[in-house]
Amino acid sequence: MHYANTYLEKPVVPDVKITGEGTTDVLKCMLNTGSDIYQGACKKRGSTLKEEYKNASGTCYMDPRDMAKLGVNNWDTVLVKTDFGEVVVNCAVSRDAPHEGTVFICKGPWANTIVSHDTYCCSDPTYKGIRCTVEKTDRKVLLMADLMRWVYKKYVDETDDDTVENMESLGELPVYKGRKWEELIDHDL
């Protein structure tokens, strides 16, 4: 019996080489979010602060025809914008293609920055059918702690005059009161 190997640096995606320079700078799409086996495995292992979780949850899965329109390949970065926010994520060919005009991002920190926080009296935000735009970018996908710092201004002092995206990464270890784990000494805990 064969089981999916979820201990991978990046999720397995179809190896499709996208050719062409792209025909559009901004692609209008419908965003759906949901769970994914790779994301779930990372959460069960407790690796939500690590690069592997960023690669599993911080990825926009797209139809290869849409990727060709943008001129992007697997693991290029894209900026996804909705009426509720924006986020930089990896892009990759969807294992569920074809679904031209629809993109998928795993439910989690990256998707949460671009879905509505309004629950419309049903206790859950709207995770599906959200209008979005996708465009190629040279910006990098942030690790979880860095994303929390950027979106929610966690671990930022009033004296910080640099933009969060330009700050040194907090890394893959836990952050305590705004300090990197390796900077802490016993009495700080």
Side-chain angles (χ1 to χ4, degrees):
M1 185 171 280
H2 172 71
Y3 293 96
N5 181 0
T6 59
Y7 291 91
L8 300 172
E9 181 183 322
K10 293 179 180 172
V12 175
V13 296
D15 187 20
V16 176
K17 179 68 176 167
I18 309 298
T19 58
E21 295 295 315
T23 58
T24 186
D25 291 332
V26 178
L27 186 67
K28 292 181 181 180
C29 291
M30 189 69 63
L31 168 68
N32 288 323
T33 68
S35 298
D36 178 91
I37 189 170
Y38 296 102
Q39 171 210 30
C42 290
K43 287 172 73 174
K44 293 288 185 192
R45 281 196 296 278
S47 63
T48 57
L49 296 173
K50 297 188 182 297
E51 183 86 11
E52 69 170 345
Y53 185 65
K54 176 190 82 169
N55 291 335
S57 297
T59 298
C60 179
Y61 295 97
M62 302 176 68
D63 186 285
R65 291 169 293 191
D66 288 335
M67 291 175 70
K69 290 175 190 172
L70 282 177
V72 294
N73 282 291
N74 281 339
W75 310 113
D76 286 346
T77 54
V78 293
L79 176 66
V80 180
K81 295 180 183 179
T82 69
D83 289 341
F84 313 108
E86 65 180 49
V87 68
V88 174
V89 289
N90 296 309
C91 67
V93 172
S94 172
R95 297 178 294 275
D96 298 318
H99 52 74
E100 197 169 1
T102 301
V103 298
F104 175 84
I105 299 175
C106 292
K107 285 194 293 187
W110 292 266
N112 287 348
T113 65
I114 56 176
V115 299
S116 173
H117 297 108
D118 194 342
T119 62
Y120 307 102
C121 299
C122 71
S123 76
D124 278 329
T126 303
Y127 291 118
K128 305 215 181 305
I130 302 164
R131 290 186 183 138
C132 72
T133 59
V134 182
E135 56 192 271
K136 187 175 184 175
T137 185
D138 292 330
R139 292 166 56 191
K140 65 180 182 172
V141 182
L142 299 174
L143 286 167
M144 167 86 94
D146 298 325
L147 182 73
M148 295 300 102
R149 181 170 56 182
W150 180 62
V151 174
Y152 302 109
K153 307 302 181 231
K154 288 188 160 285
Y155 323 123
V156 179
D157 296 331
E158 304 83 44
T159 59
D160 289 329
D161 55 358
D162 199 4
T163 60
V164 172
E165 278 190 296
N166 294 334
M167 292 179 177
E168 180 185 348
S169 174
L170 293 169
E172 295 183 338
L173 295 175
V175 176
Y176 182 75
K177 293 186 178 180
R179 294 176 61 200
K180 290 184 181 182
W181 193 255
E182 58 268 16
E183 296 171 352
L184 298 174
I185 54 178
D186 289 336
H187 66 74
D188 286 333
L189 302 174

